[in-house]
Amino acid sequence: MLGLSLKEISTSLKKGQVSPTEVCQRCLAFIKTAKCLNAYITVTEETALKQAKEADKRYRRGQPLGHLDGVPIAVKDNFSTAGIETTCASKMLKGYIPPYNATVVQKLMDHGAVLMGKTNLDEFAMGSGSTDSIFGPVRNPWSYSRHYRKKLVPSHDPETEDSNWLVTGGSSGGSAAAVSSGTCYAALGSDTGGSTRNPAAHCGVVGLKPTYGLLSRHGLIPLVNSMDVPGILTRSVDDAAIVLGVLAGHDPKDSTTVQDQFQSFDLPEEIDVSKLCIGIPREYHASGLSRETVALWSRAADLFEAAGAKVIEVSLPHTAYSIVCYHVLCNSEVASNMARFDGLEYGHRCEIDYSTEALYAASRREGFNDVVRGRILSGNYFLLKENYEKYFIKAQKVRRLITNDFVQVFSSGVDMLLTPTTLSDAAPYLEFIKEDNRTRSAQEDIFTQSVNMAGLPAVTVPAALSDRGLPLGLQFIGRAFCEQQLLTAAKWLEQQVQFPEILLEGDLGGLLTDYTPKQQLYKTHPVS
């Protein structure tokens, strides 16, 4: 049951093979077993069981609300949830309980989804490893997989051995770990520069970043308003399409959502890619790209070409300026958005009371970590009157050039781009923290952030295991509002590579003894 996809568990529920309460109890038990992953900040056990019992009644009446009715899901802890603590993994919001649900959360509830809890993240989603949370870092479930463990060289240093686990990527690492480990069947993340796709690639799950404006941002605590998009993490491309169909569409509470009504779609089982034109951006052969990732990228392109698709090299000439441009714009909007957290109306308040100004400054100093404070400071520097033209306005002009690069490529007849998602597989925690947050973000988001600046859809699909037995993902970048075509191509690749199920060992694998993987495991890349 824990190894099934959302689509499969939904079918089992409709056939009466299992009840929503049974599924919910099983997932709750595994959340406790997998506590060492630190994927959840809040586990909403009472709420989940209540929602599951309501789903039981609907199924007994033969009136399920749809594919998500009775299906356990998780939500990143930067989405507002009515009556449930929403912290953004920060001391600033610890204890904050919103009075309303984010629109995307409400849509999930309206379709009968069962909320298992709120997932861990980098503080205020500012990071690429899910290591900068006041609740501690998230551990990648593949740290405890049979694939990785049998190739791991044991350490004789107990302290090093205990920290030899892998990061999930960030900032939606908790959501990715929750889906990957089997504690839920889908999860919401947020994606500002790759924060859904990055951890999805490292945790071996599907991560979808929809077109900007297709999903409502109402209730998503903002990081960068012009780039933030609710993201979807699932175990299969079909599942991502199902969740997208529930969440997409206009929201009167978010003026940036599109007015056109969204038509949900089912992806075909038999897929013909012979009419597609796939672009390979030459600028994405970046410094630091691992040999394994390059080889996988090349083999995937060969698969499309062998199936009749046209695969051509394309150029996105302003890619070299993209990461710098992203950081200027990101930090500028962060500085503006974080101004609302002042310790006066809600959030952490220090004990200093001799002046409002002192209260304001001390509350922010105590409430934010070094990463958040650093981004606020640099953002305010970029927005100073004497720097505004030199940094912020210039970055906006470069953003337009980056967007035009994509427009020109897609106008030339290219349907979508095929790129790596990350430079390599997941890094061990001790290795990851050797670099500062800004350096790591520049490395991890190199293939993902330009999509956010252009407002385009993108999806990452797990495509192979590295030599260390860890997931490697490939990214598809599509034309605006062409999610159906994008996900169809992604599903085709998913069918070709047959990525293996994760096999957990030790205590984490205890609840999986009744589950036989559907796919035969392989030791190396499946697309050779």
Side-chain angles (χ1 to χ4, degrees):
M1 183 162 62
L2 292 173
L4 299 178
S5 68
L6 186 157
K7 190 175 183 179
E8 290 168 334
I9 198 66
S10 178
T11 300
S12 295
L13 288 168
K14 289 172 183 173
K15 290 181 178 179
Q17 296 171 341
V18 67
S19 73
T21 296
E22 289 171 331
V23 176
C24 178
Q25 290 172 335
R26 191 70 162 164
C27 287
L28 286 170
F30 197 46
I31 287 174
K32 294 174 183 177
T33 300
K35 190 175 181 179
C36 68
L37 299 179
N38 203 27
Y40 289 84
I41 290 175
T42 303
V43 179
T44 53
E45 181 171 356
E46 186 177 332
T47 298
L49 289 171
K50 181 180 178 181
Q51 291 172 338
K53 288 177 182 177
E54 292 299 318
D56 283 339
K57 295 176 185 177
R58 290 190 291 271
Y59 276 104
R60 283 197 294 268
R61 294 196 302 264
Q63 298 175 331
L65 296 175
H67 290 301
L68 295 185
D69 203 354
V71 175
I73 57 95
V75 172
K76 187 176 180 180
D77 202 30
N78 60 345
F79 286 90
S80 296
T81 42
I84 300 170
E85 187 179 22
T86 300
T87 69
C88 286
S90 175
K91 183 178 180 180
M92 179 59 77
L93 283 180
K94 195 172 182 181
Y96 169 65
I97 299 177
Y100 66 95
N101 282 325
T103 295
V104 287
V105 173
Q106 188 60 52
K107 285 187 174 184
L108 291 173
M109 300 300 102
D110 291 343
H111 282 76
V114 175
L115 178 62
M116 308 309 295
K118 305 295 292 295
T119 57
N120 207 351
L121 64 150
D122 288 299
E123 184 168 335
F124 279 102
M126 298 186 202
S128 59
S130 296
T131 57
D132 294 319
S133 163
I134 59 163
F135 301 99
V138 184
R139 299 189 179 201
N140 193 323
W142 285 81
S143 307
Y144 307 97
S145 69
R146 192 176 304 168
H147 324 64
Y148 176 63
R149 289 277 176 164
K150 68 182 179 181
K151 298 184 178 183
L152 186 63
V153 178
S155 171
H156 299 293
D157 182 353
E159 185 175 340
T160 303
E161 185 70 25
D162 184 57
S163 300
N164 203 22
W165 46 269
L166 307 158
V167 300
T168 55
S171 62
S172 305
S175 289
V179 174
S180 175
S181 62
T183 62
C184 64
Y185 293 89
L188 287 183
S190 62
D191 197 309
T192 305
S195 290
T196 293
R197 290 160 286 154
N198 180 311
H202 284 326
C203 293
V205 297
V206 173
L208 171 63
K209 180 257 171 203
T211 305
Y212 184 86
L214 190 57
L215 271 62
S216 172
R217 292 183 296 110
H218 174 70
L220 168 59
I221 295 173
L223 179 65
V224 181
N225 300 68
S226 69
M227 301 184 207
D228 291 344
V229 177
I232 298 168
L233 295 115
T234 58
R235 291 183 205 151
S236 74
V237 178
D238 271 326
D239 292 352
I242 289 171
V243 178
L244 178 67
V246 168
L247 301 182
H250 177 66
D251 177 15
K253 296 176 181 177
D254 179 4
S255 61
T256 63
T257 51
V258 293
Q259 296 290 329
D260 296 339
Q261 187 173 359
F262 179 79
Q263 296 294 327
S264 59
F265 51 84
D266 294 320
L267 301 177
E269 288 303 316
E270 300 293 329
I271 298 172
D272 179 13
V273 297
S274 62
K275 294 181 175 61
L276 287 180
C277 180
I278 309 288
I280 308 294
R282 69 170 66 98
E283 290 82 6
Y284 279 48
H285 285 272
S287 173
L289 190 59
S290 73
R291 170 189 54 82
E292 294 174 307
T293 305
V294 172
L296 174 63
W297 187 16
S298 177
R299 288 198 297 273
D302 290 343
L303 278 176
F304 275 101
E305 202 162 38
K310 184 179 180 181
V311 180
I312 62 172
E313 185 179 72
V314 298
S315 178
L316 301 170
H318 295 93
T319 297
Y321 312 107
S322 182
I323 195 74
V324 177
C325 173
Y326 169 76
H327 278 293
V328 171
L329 296 176
C330 176
N331 290 354
S332 297
E333 291 199 43
V334 162
S336 175
N337 279 322
M338 292 296 109
R340 73 191 68 197
F341 302 108
D342 54 16
L344 298 178
E345 295 183 66
Y346 54 85
H348 173 72
R349 177 182 292 190
C350 75
E351 296 181 359
I352 295 174
D353 59 3
Y354 58 80
S355 79
T356 302
E357 186 176 291
L359 169 68
Y360 181 86
S363 295
R364 288 166 66 80
R365 183 175 63 250
E366 294 175 6
F368 294 136
N369 69 5
D370 290 343
V371 173
V372 178
R373 289 199 301 269
R375 293 201 187 189
I376 291 171
L377 287 171
S378 61
N380 279 316
Y381 176 80
F382 298 143
L383 294 174
L384 288 172
K385 183 178 180 180
E386 61 266 31
N387 295 331
Y388 189 76
E389 291 280 345
K390 185 165 58 174
Y391 292 105
F392 185 73
I393 296 300
K394 185 179 288 185
Q396 291 284 31
K397 292 177 180 178
V398 174
R399 180 179 185 175
R400 173 55 60 189
L401 294 174
I402 291 166
T403 301
N404 287 342
D405 285 349
F406 285 107
V407 170
Q408 289 173 14
V409 166
F410 290 132
S411 297
S412 70
V414 172
D415 294 301
M416 64 191 67
L417 304 177
L418 175 65
T419 79
T421 308
T422 57
L423 289 168
S424 62
D425 57 14
Y429 174 70
L430 291 179
E431 179 184 322
F432 185 87
I433 60 175
K434 288 179 182 177
E435 301 282 0
D436 62 84
N437 179 282
R438 189 184 185 285
T439 301
R440 277 297 181 186
S441 295
Q443 293 169 343
E444 297 293 327
D445 296 344
I446 190 167
F447 302 123
T448 53
Q449 38 71 38
S450 59
V451 172
N452 295 78
M453 288 196 288
L456 300 174
V459 62
T460 184
V461 180
L465 295 179
S466 69
D467 289 341
R468 295 195 298 157
L470 297 175
L472 291 171
L474 291 176
Q475 177 181 228
F476 292 88
I477 301 171
R479 295 173 295 174
F481 304 107
C482 291
E483 272 78 2
Q484 184 168 2
Q485 184 185 54
L486 183 75
L487 292 177
T488 300
K491 180 178 178 178
W492 182 87
L493 181 64
E494 180 182 67
Q495 291 173 336
Q496 306 309 304
V497 301
Q498 296 288 290
F499 188 78
E501 303 285 348
I502 187 173
L503 291 178
L504 298 172
E505 289 193 335
D507 293 339
L508 282 180
L511 288 177
L512 294 179
T513 54
D514 63 346
Y515 169 60
T516 302
K518 298 187 293 298
Q519 307 297 346
Q520 180 68 35
L521 291 180
Y522 42 80
K523 294 182 180 180
T524 54
H525 307 301
V527 293
S528 57

